[in-house]
Amino acid sequence: MTACLHCGLDIPARSGAAEGFCCPGCETAYDLVRGLGLERYYQRRRFDPTARPMRPEEDGAPLDFASHVVDDGEGLFVLHLMVDGLQCAACVWLIESVLTRQPGVVSARVNMTTRRLTLRWRGAASDADQLVGAVGALGYRLVPYDPVLLDRARTRHEKELLRAMAVAGFAAGNVMLLSVSVWAGHWQGMGPATRDLFHWLSALIALPAIAYAGLPFFRSALTALRARHVNMDVPISLAVILAAGMSLADTIEGRQHAYFDSAVMLLFFLLIGRYLDHRARGKARNAAEHLLTLGAVAVTVVDQKGRKHLLPPSRVEPGMTVFVAAGERISVDGKVASGMSDLDVSLITGETVPTAAVEGTKVFAGTLNLSGPLRITVDAVGDRTLLAEIARLVEAAEQGRADYVALADRIARRYSPVVHTLALATFLGWLVLGDIGWRDSLLYAVAVLIITCPCALALAVPVVQVVATGRLLRQGILVKAATALERLAGVDTVVFDKTGTLTTGHLDLQNPGEVDVESLRLASSLAAASTHPLARALARAHPDSVPPEGVREVPGEGMAVETTEGEIRLGRRRWCGVRETDDGVLPEMWLARPGVDPVRFVFEDRVREDATAVVVTLRDAGFDVRLLSGDRGASVSAVAAELGIEAWQAGVSPQGKSDELRSLAADGKQVLMVGDGLNDAAALAAAHASMSPSTAADISQTAADIVFQGVRLHPVLETLSVARQARMRVRQNFALTFLYNAIAVPFAVAGYVTPLIAALAMSASSIAVIVNGLRLNWGRSRWIRS
């Protein structure tokens, strides 16, 4: 049996394809690869005309995708790639459709915002090259995923769009001035020579501007045509090129009309829409890579002889002993082998009170060692740590958002074939039935292409997003995700974290009035020598305190100083000689002095000043308000009771929060998650929409759709209000766009619209959409019921 020219498999007796191919799919793929000039992927047929395809590393090909494949340990191979050439949701749909039809592929997900393709399949790692080739044959360029390279590419493309928009805007303004002169001169006896001069001046300005400003559309259209499919940029490019080409031909022949202004104006408004959309999408970043940087620090490993060596996390193995100095962040999961300290675990659990770490205590990557050196026996490192698990949760949740396709993109998927068919029908109809000649028939077809160009449709969502995000930004609210406002508008359930969200996240001394002045002064002076959060809160209660000489910090216990009367201690209850009781609901410190009863200092994380009013307003507006926290049950219960929140859960793990949100989503709820800790990061990414205060952990701000400034919760109400108003404006823009097309397209097909009138009508519809979006800045916030 002979081998297939494309895949190299044996050709069955009845393949249903042309000679040399095992199936029609391979025949099509082979033609596409050759059409794109990628013959290097096939073996040169000097000896065997039916040789198998080449590997990418052969024949000088630069990329070997198989070396970037990861085995997930469950029988699946995973490959993360960046996709260059994505323009709209139709591209996402095409890539995912092609890949999911490949043998062995389990899932193929494209994140439109980050341009990231995650591919999972069964088989062999070497299959990666063949799978990537299937997408490359469509005209898209794939490279291994690199966030730094992605940011550079995004910045470069954004600058290119901005330059193109500036050139098109400059040309449109000047060409329109010349066109106005021609129009005015038509009614005032302008001679043909003067008119032709203005047309030539317009051509000198417009043609170079079109050649440069149209590059983003022309490249995309050419790539699509080479791969034998069409996208939105194909009819746009046709309209611009035909309008400019016909205008140049008419100018050369000295005809009365030229439509350079139509082509340039069309490009200008299209570039505005694409730039605004690119800016909105570019605000979202991949949270998982940012999260993993918390654990990507050099690790101090202690060998069997007690010597210390710095190693990268990738070279640390379970069973090793690592040294973590006070003030360092832990980079591994493990157990404390020796030493005592306090750990700041707020990034993991959300708990503001540090926890004690003694021999045998389980510790996790991402936590901060506060007060004493520790030696830790490694249990897990790298992608096996709890930190990496949270990163996977965040990444999985973000990838789920790739399924979200805006209405404008869904329409755009069907836009190209409809417009092409309509323009072709107009041309043939007038040519065959109208008896007006090919020039005028083509002119009417160009008018159809121009008048149906999706400027207003492309602006319908981005202009509202930009106006809404600008309004929120002026109030200290940053909208980071392109689809955040659209998702927020459908929210019916609001879930709050406790620490740092409903509360300020800062501990304050609760009972200064119950403590005598001397005890407060002495305790504050001892506390001033420590960086422990409780000690710092106590020191703030008496700012003028100066640490006494000889004060020392006992890791995991507290502060002590020797005096002539004996040792004075400030720290944990048991260390200060106080019997353990059940009244330690709130964080506390004790001051123990010789001959004096111990003094208790109680601390509290106070709720935000407007938290109660915000919760009441949300509940009155019909929202289901809930509280999920990793804190202790007593403190969560107290805050829930104070704010009137009936549905609350305490001691919830990061995985538990994500599971609870998925459970609510399964019940038909659309949830807004408001949180600030690292333990909230996965939940923020998994929620239908998410918000985080600016005081939150970096990863939570990255995972959240929206970040708000200040110490108040009112931005939650403002954002929900603006989101619902924005949704209404978007719907109005779609209505305007459909009304415009319903009226203008029949006139264009009937021959009553010239390319200039088509460009003006298209511009007018775009301006109407922009003005409607700007109305978001007019008036005060108000609630709009779903």
Side-chain angles (χ1 to χ4, degrees), residues 98-441:
V98 168
L99 286 174
T100 52
R101 293 172 184 170
Q102 301 299 314
V105 172
V106 175
S107 67
R109 304 292 293 277
V110 179
N111 189 314
M112 180 66 183
T113 298
T114 61
R115 303 294 197 267
R116 182 171 187 166
L117 165 62
T118 300
L119 181 62
R120 291 180 171 85
W121 74 93
R122 301 184 189 277
S126 57
D127 295 338
D129 298 332
Q130 182 176 347
L131 296 175
V132 171
V135 179
L138 298 174
Y140 299 98
R141 176 172 170 265
L142 298 179
V143 294
Y145 187 78
D146 183 349
V148 175
L149 183 61
L150 179 65
D151 286 340
R152 290 177 183 172
R154 182 184 297 122
T155 301
R156 184 172 62 252
H157 184 54
E158 186 174 302
K159 289 181 178 179
E160 180 188 23
L161 287 177
L162 187 59
R163 288 194 298 266
M165 186 172 63
V167 169
F170 172 81
N174 285 276
V175 172
M176 282 302 299
L177 288 175
L178 294 170
S179 298
V180 169
S181 300
V182 173
W183 302 337
H186 177 74
W187 302 103
Q188 298 177 9
M190 177 184 289
T194 305
R195 181 197 64 209
D196 292 346
L197 174 62
F198 282 157
H199 283 169
W200 277 112
L201 290 174
S202 298
L204 289 174
I205 297 173
L207 293 178
I210 291 171
Y212 179 80
L215 280 177
F217 304 99
F218 300 155
R219 280 199 299 260
S220 173
L222 183 60
T223 300
L225 291 175
R226 282 179 174 175
R228 300 183 182 181
H229 69 90
V230 294
N231 58 14
M232 285 181 61
D233 292 335
V234 172
I236 290 173
S237 300
L238 278 176
V240 172
I241 292 173
L242 287 175
M246 289 188 63
S247 298
L248 180 61
D250 289 347
T251 300
I252 292 174
E253 296 178 7
R255 291 179 177 271
Q256 183 177 0
H257 300 293
Y259 303 100
F260 296 111
D261 46 6
S262 306
V264 176
M265 191 184 305
L266 176 65
L267 270 181
F268 180 52
F269 279 97
L270 286 170
L271 284 166
I272 290 176
R274 184 152 295 185
Y275 179 75
L276 293 178
D277 180 67
H278 190 271
R279 286 280 294 177
R281 293 186 185 277
K283 289 179 181 178
R285 298 177 57 196
N286 192 318
E289 275 74 16
H290 186 79
L291 172 58
L292 290 175
T293 60
L294 292 176
V297 296
V299 180
T300 303
V301 177
V302 182
D303 61 20
Q304 295 180 350
K305 296 182 180 180
R307 294 175 299 186
K308 298 176 182 177
H309 307 276
L310 281 177
L311 293 179
S314 59
R315 294 181 57 187
V316 179
E317 299 177 357
M320 288 184 173
T321 299
V322 301
F323 175 81
V324 182
E328 289 186 354
R329 193 173 296 278
I330 299 174
S331 299
V332 300
D333 284 3
K335 291 183 180 179
V336 176
S338 63
M340 295 178 59
S341 184
D342 295 291
L343 300 181
D344 181 356
V345 296
S346 58
L347 290 176
I348 300 294
T349 67
E351 178 64 70
T352 56
V353 180
T355 60
V358 297
E359 185 175 347
T361 301
K362 181 73 174 177
V363 296
F364 300 99
T367 57
L368 187 65
N369 183 23
L370 293 176
S371 54
L374 295 174
R375 293 197 177 197
I376 300 170
T377 301
V378 178
D379 289 339
V381 69
D383 60 0
R384 301 291 182 181
T385 63
L386 176 63
L387 191 69
E389 177 62 24
I390 297 176
R392 282 190 288 270
L393 291 172
V394 173
E395 177 66 14
E398 282 196 339
Q399 282 298 106
R401 287 184 189 167
D403 286 340
Y404 177 81
V405 180
L407 177 59
D409 287 335
R410 293 200 296 269
I411 296 173
R413 185 186 302 172
R414 299 171 177 83
Y415 164 81
S416 297
V418 172
V419 169
H420 289 153
T421 302
L422 190 61
L424 180 61
T426 302
F427 174 74
L428 294 177
W430 279 103
L431 183 64
V432 175
L433 303 177
D435 193 25
I436 61 174
W438 70 268
R439 183 185 296 273
D440 288 337
S441 299

Side-chain angles (χ1 to χ4, degrees), residues 727-741:
R727 180 178 61 180
M728 184 175 68
R729 296 286 180 261
V730 168
R731 290 175 176 175
Q732 291 172 348
N733 283 347
F734 281 136
L736 286 172
T737 302
F738 295 144
L739 181 63
Y740 154 76
N741 281 282

Side-chain angles (χ1 to χ4, degrees), residues 645-673:
I645 300 177
E646 297 179 358
W648 60 271
Q649 295 182 41
V652 185
S653 67
Q655 179 68 62
K657 289 187 177 184
S658 297
D659 291 342
E660 177 64 20
L661 293 184
R662 292 190 181 95
S663 176
L664 291 172
D667 293 337
K669 301 283 189 180
Q670 294 186 331
V671 181
L672 165 63
M673 176 70 193

Side-chain angles (χ1 to χ4, degrees), residues 30-39 135-140 222-223 225-227:
Y30 183 82
D31 291 339
L32 287 174
V33 171
R34 291 179 60 83
L36 290 171
L38 300 177
E39 292 88 349
V135 179
L138 298 174
Y140 299 98
L222 183 60
T223 300
L225 291 175
R226 282 179 174 175

